[in-house]
Amino acid sequence: MDAVTIRDVLEFASDLERSYVAIVHGRTKLRVGSIVYVAFSLDESIIGFGFPKEQRDGLVGSDPATFMLPGPSDMRFNWVHARLDRLDHDEMCEFVLDAWGMVVPRKLFGARLARLDPAPAD
């Protein structure tokens, strides 16, 4: 398995509607409007992404070598961190897509999902 890089994430996210890259205090972030849905550590080894608070402990507990809780000031947000080099490409795409889906209108997210997994024809 090749380690996922920030370049892989940015390439995947470049196709997500309303998404854009912002550099804030040297850190790369992905936004929709003013809402951040993905952010990287300064050294680009850690990815933070939108993730439901109520599912966070389960994710971190499932693989604590990969996933970690955000810092205390970010615990109030729907957010989790992961070591980028421990994610495989499919996992990264799923987490980034779901994080994006948390910040765009449901209709837009639903349309994206429908394009990825079209219903079988009758």
Side-chain angles (χ1 to χ4, degrees):
M1 164 179 93
D2 289 336
V4 173
T5 66
I6 187 173
R7 190 169 282 147
D8 297 324
V9 177
L10 297 178
E11 182 178 323
F12 174 75
S14 69
D15 190 40
L16 299 175
E17 293 88 343
R18 303 185 186 181
S19 180
Y20 67 95
V21 176
I23 307 297
V24 180
H25 301 293
R27 294 181 57 201
T28 303
K29 299 180 180 213
L30 293 172
R31 290 182 171 175
V32 170
S34 63
I35 302 171
V36 175
Y37 71 95
V38 169
F40 297 92
S41 60
L42 278 172
D43 68 1
E44 301 175 353
S45 65
I46 304 293
I47 181 174
F49 52 92
F51 193 83
K53 284 190 272 191
E54 61 276 1
Q55 297 174 22
R56 216 172 19 203
D57 289 336
L59 180 66
V60 171
S62 73
D63 186 358
T66 301
F67 302 103
M68 62 208 94
L69 295 173
S73 65
D74 287 336
M75 287 296 286
R76 68 183 187 269
F77 300 114
N78 290 309
W79 202 253
V80 73
H81 290 167
R83 288 176 179 82
L84 197 55
D85 65 352
R86 293 190 51 90
L87 295 177
D88 67 35
H89 191 268
D90 290 343
E91 282 180 312
M92 175 275 292
C93 292
E94 182 179 343
F95 288 128
V96 171
L97 181 65
D98 287 347
W100 173 81
M102 293 174 75
V103 300
V104 295
R106 287 184 193 161
K107 187 175 182 176
L108 184 59
F109 184 54
R112 170 60 63 138
L113 292 179
R115 285 196 309 267
L116 293 175
D117 189 23
D122 290 331

